[in-house]
Amino acid sequence: MPTSFYVLLACCLCLCACREGRYPRVLLQADSLAEVAPDSALRLLDGWADSVPTVPERVRMYYRLLTVKAADKAYVTHMSDSIIRPVLDYYEQEGDRRLLPEAYYYAGRVYRDLGVT
């Protein structure tokens, strides 16, 4: 599908997605896509990137976690821990504790790619 489709889809979903305590549907959809079509999840997340600076921190951290997850599922070699490190700090200290195990898992995947033991 063309990239413009994903951008349009992201915009539409974003308009009706944000409620207090919930994540935008576009991110939930990207999470689901990461399992079966990680390249599509990455395109969807990339199309939503301009919205990230304007959302609450909990949504930004979830976006970052999904970015690492989708890249990992797409077999993209992680070159830095600059995305996952703040995610770990956030979920260890104040974020949705249900996402902490997933953050640890993907941090491990990042550090494995970096050769950190």
Side-chain angles (χ1 to χ4, degrees):
M1 292 191 171
T3 302
S4 60
F5 169 77
Y6 292 107
V7 173
L8 179 60
L9 178 63
C11 291
C12 291
L13 291 173
C14 203
L15 290 174
C16 60
C18 289
R19 287 190 190 137
E20 189 60 39
R22 294 188 180 169
Y23 296 110
R25 285 185 190 160
V26 66
L27 297 185
L28 297 174
Q29 183 178 17
D31 194 3
S32 294
L33 275 173
E35 299 295 331
V36 294
D39 293 334
S40 296
L42 285 171
R43 282 192 297 274
L44 189 60
L45 291 165
D46 188 51
W48 202 69
D50 290 342
S51 300
V52 174
T54 64
V55 297
E57 183 179 28
R58 67 181 179 75
V59 176
R60 283 194 310 273
M61 292 300 127
Y62 185 53
Y63 170 86
R64 291 176 129 210
L65 177 59
L66 293 179
T67 300
V68 172
K69 177 180 182 175
D72 190 71
K73 297 281 185 182
Y75 301 106
V76 174
T77 302
H78 304 286
M79 304 303 288
S80 167
D81 69 346
S82 63
I83 294 175
I84 198 66
R85 184 75 241 161
V87 170
L88 276 178
D89 291 343
Y90 176 76
Y91 287 121
E92 286 175 342
Q93 295 176 11
E94 60 187 279
D96 185 344
R97 300 292 286 185
R98 294 172 297 169
L99 292 173
L100 184 57
E102 191 169 11
Y104 281 139
Y105 175 79
Y106 286 106
R109 304 283 290 173
V110 168
Y111 290 121
R112 183 214 55 212
D113 283 354
L114 298 176
V116 175
T117 56

